[in-house]
């Protein structure tokens, strides 16, 4: 029963991240011109609704794309919980840090970045979303088809490209937002709010981890797993062992 539930969760997550990737691609002008008008009208609102609309009494309205990503991150946290209780293999500390960084970006960095008048900030936020979507679309098939060599290959090789791009974009976006928060005057009411300093702490964490620990610890670990698969060394070593036996 549990296995069936988690299989459906994995299928739902794969469909969700595939939809996110489709939404991102649908915003490209080169692809938009080929999409039917109905599809364009359905995808545009995911990025067009402002996260804070002062004309509406509720300031908690978020971009639909952010709400979708929060839901998908909820599934990721279920996976982290399963790692914690031993149901899944994985690095628990890395999983907690990774998804804490993602939640910080989802709640602080991306809402401001995606609605910014600056094209550069929008581009950096979009790069973050592309890196996440591509990573997850490449990850979930291995959960659904664990015996497939192809899904394992994609799972291990794809992050070699998506991780550095995503980590860099997250760090840049977090740094820009952190700078804005720190430029707020000391007498401003915002600086007297505990939430203000929670945001500052989370953004410092994102910048610090992505700038220091990412390149020196996380990425080398990814390369250690992914490069032998990419270069075909793992398969060759196994075949030579069989011949010796």
């Amino acid at each position: 029963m549990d296995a069936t539930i988690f299989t459906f969760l994995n299928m739902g997550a794969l469909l969700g991240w595939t939809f996110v990737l489709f939404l991102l691609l649908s915003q490209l002008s080169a692809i938009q011109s080929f999409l039917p008008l109905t599809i364009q009208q359905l995808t545009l609102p995911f990025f067009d609704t402002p996260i804070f609309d002062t004309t509406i009494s509720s300031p908690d309205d978020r971009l639909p794309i952010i709400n979708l990503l929060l839901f998908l991150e909820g599934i990721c946290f279920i996976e982290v919980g399963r790692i914690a209780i031993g149901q899944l293999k994985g690095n628990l500390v890395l999983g907690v840090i990774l998804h804490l960084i993602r939640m910080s970006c989802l709640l602080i960095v991306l809402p401001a970045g995606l609605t910014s008048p600056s094209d550069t900030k929008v581009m950096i936020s979009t790069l973050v979303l592309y890196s996440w979507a591509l990573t997850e679309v490449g990850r979930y098939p291995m959960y659904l088809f664990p015996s497939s060599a192809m899904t394992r290959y994609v799972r291990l090789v794809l992050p070699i490209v998506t991780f550095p791009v995503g980590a860099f974009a997250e760090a840049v976006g977090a740094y820009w937002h952190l700078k804005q928060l720190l430029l707020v005057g000391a007498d401003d009411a915002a600086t007297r709010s505990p939430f203000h300093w929670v945001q500052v702490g989370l953004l410092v964490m994102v910048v610090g981890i992505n700038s220091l620990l990412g390149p020196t610890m996380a990425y080398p670990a990814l390369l250690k797993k992914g490069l032998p698969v990419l270069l075909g060394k793992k398969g060759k070593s196994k075949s030579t062992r069989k011949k010796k036996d």
Side-chain angles (χ1 to χ4, degrees):
M1 183 67 179
D2 287 345
T4 304
I5 292 172
F6 292 128
T7 298
F8 276 112
L9 273 178
N10 290 334
M11 289 174 62
L14 177 58
L15 289 173
W17 284 108
T18 303
F19 183 57
V20 169
L21 184 58
F22 169 74
L23 288 173
L24 292 168
L25 293 171
S26 71
Q27 305 307 301
L28 298 174
S29 55
I31 292 179
Q32 263 187 357
S33 58
F34 293 101
L35 293 175
L37 183 60
T38 306
I39 300 295
Q40 294 181 35
Q41 291 173 340
L42 288 173
T43 57
L44 281 174
F46 278 87
F47 297 91
D48 278 355
T49 306
I51 186 164
F52 294 118
D53 188 346
T54 55
T55 64
I56 300 175
S57 58
S58 172
D60 296 324
D61 293 324
R62 295 190 181 90
L63 284 168
I65 187 70
I66 297 292
N67 285 329
L68 174 58
L69 289 165
L70 286 171
F71 173 77
L72 293 172
E73 271 301 292
I75 297 177
C76 291
F77 273 105
I78 292 174
E79 294 165 10
V80 172
R82 293 183 67 198
I83 292 173
I85 62 175
Q87 285 188 355
L88 277 180
K89 291 181 180 179
N91 188 320
L92 178 61
V93 175
L94 182 62
V96 170
I97 292 173
L98 171 68
H99 293 292
L100 185 58
I101 288 172
R102 280 195 184 180
M103 288 299 293
S104 300
C105 289
L106 276 173
L107 295 174
I108 304 171
V109 179
L110 295 180
L114 290 171
T115 56
S116 172
S118 167
D119 290 339
T120 306
K121 289 184 178 181
V122 173
M123 182 191 70
I124 287 293
S125 297
T126 305
L127 273 179
V128 171
L129 296 184
Y130 268 112
S131 70
W132 292 359
L134 286 168
T135 299
E136 299 302 337
V137 168
R139 181 169 74 94
Y140 279 101
M142 195 182 79
Y143 288 160
L144 295 169
F145 308 101
S147 59
S148 169
M150 178 57 72
T151 60
R152 176 178 170 76
Y153 179 89
V154 173
R155 167 69 182 92
L156 293 176
V157 170
L158 193 57
I160 294 176
V161 177
T162 59
F163 178 84
V165 173
F168 171 77
E170 288 167 359
V172 170
Y175 172 75
W176 283 340
H177 201 83
L178 176 63
K179 192 164 69 169
Q180 286 182 342
L181 289 178
L182 293 177
L183 287 174
V184 174
D187 296 329
D188 194 289
T191 61
R192 294 194 292 270
S193 167
F195 181 63
H196 173 87
W197 295 107
V198 169
Q199 289 184 79
V200 169
L202 289 171
L203 293 176
V204 168
M205 174 200 70
V206 174
V207 173
I209 291 176
N210 286 28
S211 302
L212 301 174
L213 299 183
T216 59
M217 295 179 66
Y219 194 57
L222 286 175
L223 289 176
K224 187 177 179 181
K225 289 182 178 179
L227 276 182
V229 177
L230 178 63
L231 300 175
K233 290 182 178 179
K234 202 161 189 177
K236 287 180 182 178
S237 64
K238 282 184 179 180
S239 62
T240 53
R241 281 177 193 170
K242 286 181 180 178
K243 287 179 182 178
K244 287 180 181 179
D245 292 341

